[in-house]
Amino acid sequence: MSFLNTRALANVVKVLACVVGAVFSLAATQAQATDKNSAAATCSVTIQADDAYHFIPNHVDVPQACQDFTVTLKHTGHLPKAAMGHNWVLTTKADAPRVAKDGLIAGLDNQFIAPGDKRVIAATPVIGSNETSQVTFSVSELKPNETYAFQCTFGGHSALMQGSLRLE
Ligand SMILES: [Cu+2]
């Protein structure tokens, strides 16, 4: 009886060791894949916007080594521009609330940005379901110790659709 129990225990230990080994090698493979992705996409990022007011990711690090940085906004939702339009507007964190307020007044005809708003560092046009838009800005416009924010200024979305951006 005790012999059987020992053998059964040994088998459990073997199976566990196998599972642990598999998890570790999977984790290593994923870490490698992540490294490759970030190396290839150093000076650009794709941000998804959906029907539930999410920006994915909602934080972006801009490497100081980049001359230009490109943001591609991809609308992954199903709703059209008029109902669930999204844009991506970069300002300092301090300027963000007023830029959103003025953008709301400017409306869709102005891409929800007040005409000539100098507080806007970069902005994409408003897009709807399955559309993408892009903006490239000079990294020299960013200061190392400033806190930047991005938001969607489309009709009232800024309360939920916010993210942060940092020069690293
Ligand atoms: Cu939006």
Side-chain angles (χ1 to χ4, degrees):
M1 190 67 177
S2 100
F3 171 72
L4 276 178
N5 281 344
T6 310
R7 259 185 64 177
L9 189 66
N11 280 334
V12 168
V13 168
K14 264 189 219 164
V15 168
L16 273 179
C18 194
V19 168
V20 168
V23 166
F24 270 108
S25 79
L26 185 67
T29 308
Q30 281 175 345
Q32 272 174 5
T34 305
D35 283 350
K36 271 180 203 157
N37 286 342
S38 60
T42 309
C43 298
S44 64
V45 68
T46 296
I47 298 178
Q48 296 182 0
D50 62 17
D51 288 339
Y53 311 100
H54 294 126
F55 274 132
I56 305 162
N58 63 4
H59 178 77
V60 173
D61 282 321
V62 175
Q64 214 152 8
C66 296
Q67 201 176 354
D68 295 319
F69 195 82
T70 299
V71 173
T72 301
L73 182 68
K74 191 171 194 269
H75 196 310
T76 58
H78 300 289
L79 296 170
K81 195 195 293 194
M84 187 57 72
H86 297 310
N87 63 2
W88 185 91
V89 180
L90 178 67
T91 61
T92 63
K93 195 176 181 204
D95 284 339
R98 275 164 296 165
V99 166
K101 217 173 180 180
D102 294 346
L104 195 58
I105 295 162
L108 185 56
D109 286 348
N110 296 298
Q111 304 297 318
F112 283 94
I113 293 170
D117 193 333
K118 289 201 165 64
R119 297 166 298 188
V120 174
I121 300 163
T124 70
V126 174
I127 54 168
S129 175
N130 285 320
E131 293 180 324
T132 59
S133 58
Q134 215 171 53
V135 65
T136 298
F137 58 93
S138 170
V139 174
S140 65
E141 289 186 53
L142 304 178
K143 293 176 203 135
N145 296 319
E146 183 66 72
T147 309
Y148 296 94
F150 59 82
Q151 60 181 332
C152 172
T153 59
F154 184 95
H157 290 193
S158 64
L160 291 165
M161 296 189 76
Q162 294 177 2
S164 54
L165 183 142
R166 190 180 59 182
L167 184 67
E168 64 167 9

